[in-house]
Amino acid sequence: MTRCYTMLLLFMIPGILLPQDQDLLAVYPRPSQSLNGEWRVIVDPYENGFYSYRYEPFENAENPPRGAYFTNSKPRNKSDLIEYDFDSSEILNVPGDWNSQDEKLFYYEGTVWYKKSFDYQKKGPQNRVFVYFGAVNYQADVYLNGQKVGRHTGGFTPFNFEITDLLREKDNFLILKVDNKRLREGVPTLNTDWWNYGGITRDVKLVETPPVFIRNYFVRLAPESRNKIRAEVALGGEGGAGEAVTVKIPGLKIEETMTAGENGMAAFYLPAKDLKKWTPESPRLYDITLIAGQDTVRDRVGFRTIATRGQDILLNGKPVFLRGICIHEESPLHGGRATNEADARKLLGWAKDLGCNYVRLAHYPHNEYMLRMADEMGVMVWGEIPVYWTIDWENEKTYQNAESQLTAMIERDRNRAAVVIWSMANETPNSDARLRFMRRLAQRARTLDGTRLISAALEQSRVAGPGDVRTISDPFAEDVDVLSFNQYIGWYEGLPEKCRQVTWQISQDKPVLISEFGAGAKQGFHGDALTRWSEEYQADLYRQTLEMLSQIPQLRGLSPWILVDFRSPRRSLPGIQDGWNRKGLISEDGQRKQAFGVLQAFYQKK
Ligand code: GCB
């Protein structure tokens, strides 16, 4: 079945794919050459390889001196002075943070240089080659064969650069200056409650495409007509306009072709007859193949709808309760940042053992394996950007940084049926500047993807007057689809019995999610329910909190803080915390605490 549509269709619903972005976005489904593995590194706290002794960046010079580390210079003769040598320097594994690989880098925040050598045989003479990074925390300056290819800011989102013109068949050297210094104007800012793991923390790949290539695509149920699939395909490279684009979904007997328009985009409406919707109980994914000229991309995509009606969240039109848990991107298998499929399977497997159908991936975009695994395992996802606590709200550059992280997250993950909520921020203090910032972000998210719910983890407040009545007075509550907030009654505020004194008056006619609650407990430490840090205290807090929150009529889900204990430099109490936030339901070495069973029992009844 082949049909052609005019490009007029594209303008009938808000533009989703952005023609101005030239990045190659669909990377995981493509064949690639991995540059994972051992990289040579030089730790450079004074940025000696980047700045001259007059503190001028070497890269600004027309001919950077050989002392610039990205030139990868070697002594030319026995008298020559070169004060570094990648090839006899230490080794770190990529993907991986440096903190958990080398004891002396445990607390390090600054610059580390990375170098990898490789050969590369292009498959077609006209083809293009890109170097792709799943994430580098926090700023990466990238050089190939001594030339700068680009800079990227933001520690949790993917990026790539085209390197076609610089690439050789033999002895390429790829060098990165990676800097994880925290910055007041950064996103996140100086202060967080998680470890600032530095390094090339996700996969590195070389991806080859034909001259015209599929840059990105968005395939989902058409928001305006639920019995149709909407597939948009954006081509990159010269000459995308007029290229034939084909979408095949064999499981639905779909194969359609159309011609890309002036802007290199093709947009299809495809019949969705007999389609099995994606649900947590039955996470059906369909193989899809996209073909444009010589380029082919294969992916697996699920179809479902998510919406709100009054105070309900509707999954495929039916009310659903989100039985969730928060997760940080830390590996229970090898320590440090989680980096691979096995980590994702372990973390999401534990969430499923707890009875979850939903996870909040806090507080930044997690690696792509988590999202793909959530699709496969049937776990709904809240995705978030690190707009956390006291961001520099007045600073336009900070806004642009947050917006580009939001864009990169949505563009990477919007084909994942698992994702149901985009979160703009966590516990941000109310002010006019902050409200403007957040509203711009929410507007941007809706433009990029009108098919998900928008939220943010807000804070609750006390109503003046008699009794202890709590409410949500944050004006950003008007802008969200789902009203979410964190609360720590019984931990930061009084003892667990306080839950019995508090009542809730939430006036917004929206579904409510509790994005966090919790208490610290050291696994194996026992006492009575009033003994801080004991498993019994944490379990009692869970019991009392669940009882209290169940009184909120609009309650449609929870994601308590947190699945597993995680490293935080803010948590120093010897013998108990030792550098770990202990609010996990599971210890860092995989032992369940009593509260795990309390939440599991609650979820069994939901
Ligand atoms: C919060 C934050 C989270 C912290 C947690 C805590 O409200 O959102 O990032 O780790 O509290 O343990 O205090």
Side-chain angles (χ1 to χ4, degrees), residues 112-353:
V112 174
W113 293 83
Y114 282 73
K115 181 206 155 225
K116 181 86 173 170
S117 297
F118 62 94
D119 299 336
Y120 192 80
Q121 206 68 47
K122 272 213 309 190
K123 285 159 204 80
Q126 303 305 318
N127 282 1
R128 309 170 71 144
V129 182
F130 298 80
V131 61
Y132 163 90
F133 300 89
V136 177
N137 191 35
Y138 169 77
Q139 183 160 283
D141 287 285
V142 182
Y143 307 84
L144 182 65
N145 299 332
Q147 302 293 313
K148 179 99 184 222
V149 297
R151 166 176 282 189
H152 180 265
T153 302
F156 302 98
T157 42
F159 58 97
N160 59 68
F161 298 110
E162 183 166 3
I163 52 169
T164 314
D165 295 339
L166 291 174
L167 196 64
R168 323 194 272 237
E169 290 198 349
K170 291 261 161 238
D171 302 326
N172 293 283
F173 57 96
L174 179 62
I175 291 182
L176 267 75
K177 173 183 182 291
V178 180
D179 183 358
N180 76 333
K181 275 194 292 295
R182 284 169 296 129
L183 304 168
R184 172 77 191 91
E185 70 277 14
V187 181
T189 177
L190 293 171
N191 200 12
T192 68
D193 188 23
W194 69 82
W195 209 265
N196 181 25
Y197 289 112
I200 306 178
T201 53
R202 296 185 189 158
D203 296 325
V204 184
K205 299 163 184 271
L206 295 171
V207 187
E208 182 168 338
T209 73
V212 174
F213 58 92
I214 296 169
R215 186 166 56 74
N216 197 13
Y217 48 88
F218 188 15
V219 183
R220 74 274 187 206
L221 283 179
E224 67 286 20
S225 164
R226 292 291 157 86
N227 53 12
K228 294 242 182 311
I229 290 170
R230 174 79 171 168
E232 291 170 31
V233 182
L235 305 185
E238 309 247 301
E243 190 73 75
V245 179
T246 300
V247 178
K248 293 186 193 172
I249 311 180
L252 294 170
K253 300 195 175 54
I254 289 172
E255 178 172 342
E256 297 207 5
T257 300
M258 66 178 290
T259 306
E262 284 295 291
N263 50 6
M265 313 254 278
F268 301 75
Y269 282 104
L270 305 163
K273 217 167 131 259
D274 301 329
L275 178 145
K276 295 228 169 19
K277 300 244 174 76
W278 183 97
T279 64
E281 299 72 38
S282 171
R284 175 69 204 257
L285 301 176
Y286 287 89
D287 289 323
I288 62 164
T289 305
L290 305 173
I291 305 166
Q294 303 157 39
D295 199 18
T296 301
V297 175
R298 296 192 174 79
D299 205 346
R300 280 159 65 69
V301 171
F303 299 97
R304 53 107 195 87
T305 63
I306 189 81
T308 63
R309 187 178 57 208
Q311 301 176 353
D312 281 334
I313 299 174
L314 306 178
L315 176 69
N316 298 320
K318 293 193 206 104
V320 64
F321 188 90
L322 304 188
R323 305 186 307 269
I325 190 75
C326 290
I327 302 182
H328 257 300
E329 192 193 39
E330 264 186 32
S331 169
L333 299 172
H334 52 83
R337 279 265 168 263
T339 53
N340 56 36
E341 208 172 278
D343 291 328
R345 195 180 292 285
K346 184 63 142 191
L347 289 166
L348 293 173
W350 280 345
K352 289 205 89 159
D353 294 345

Side-chain angles (χ1 to χ4, degrees), residues 193-194 328 360 363 388-389 426-427 486 488 492 516 561 566 571 581 583:
D193 188 23
W194 69 82
H328 257 300
R360 174 180 176 213
H363 280 299
Y388 182 93
W389 292 353
N426 180 74
E427 292 183 351
N486 301 348
Y488 282 89
Y492 292 124
E516 284 177 34
W561 192 253
F566 61 97
R571 311 290 174 175
N581 183 313
K583 296 192 189 72

Side-chain angles (χ1 to χ4, degrees), residues 384-439:
E384 181 165 323
I385 51 170
V387 175
Y388 182 93
W389 292 353
T390 41
I391 295 287
D392 192 358
W393 307 109
E394 311 266 0
N395 186 333
E396 178 60 20
K397 281 207 182 117
T398 303
Y399 175 77
Q400 292 303 334
N401 179 352
E403 188 186 281
S404 80
Q405 295 191 44
L406 177 76
T407 304
M409 171 178 75
I410 295 178
E411 290 191 327
R412 191 193 68 177
D413 294 339
R414 66 188 154 188
N415 287 306
R416 306 281 74 83
V419 177
V420 291
I421 296 172
W422 299 126
S423 169
M424 303 300 107
N426 180 74
E427 292 183 351
T428 50
N430 194 16
S431 73
D432 289 347
R434 171 268 194 182
L435 191 59
R436 272 195 306 277
F437 191 112
M438 300 273 284
R439 287 193 163 145

Side-chain angles (χ1 to χ4, degrees), residues 7 9 38 42 106 144-145 150 170 218 258 278 299 302 311-312 314 328 358 361 455 470 487 545 548 591 604:
M7 286 311 294
L9 271 180
E38 296 187 341
I42 301 176
F106 185 61
L144 182 65
N145 299 332
K170 291 261 161 238
F218 188 15
M258 66 178 290
W278 183 97
D299 205 346
Q311 301 176 353
D312 281 334
L314 306 178
H328 257 300
Y358 161 71
L361 300 183
S455 199
R470 304 300 173 98
Q487 69 79 29
T545 304
M548 168 183 75
Q591 312 295 316
Q604 266 157 14

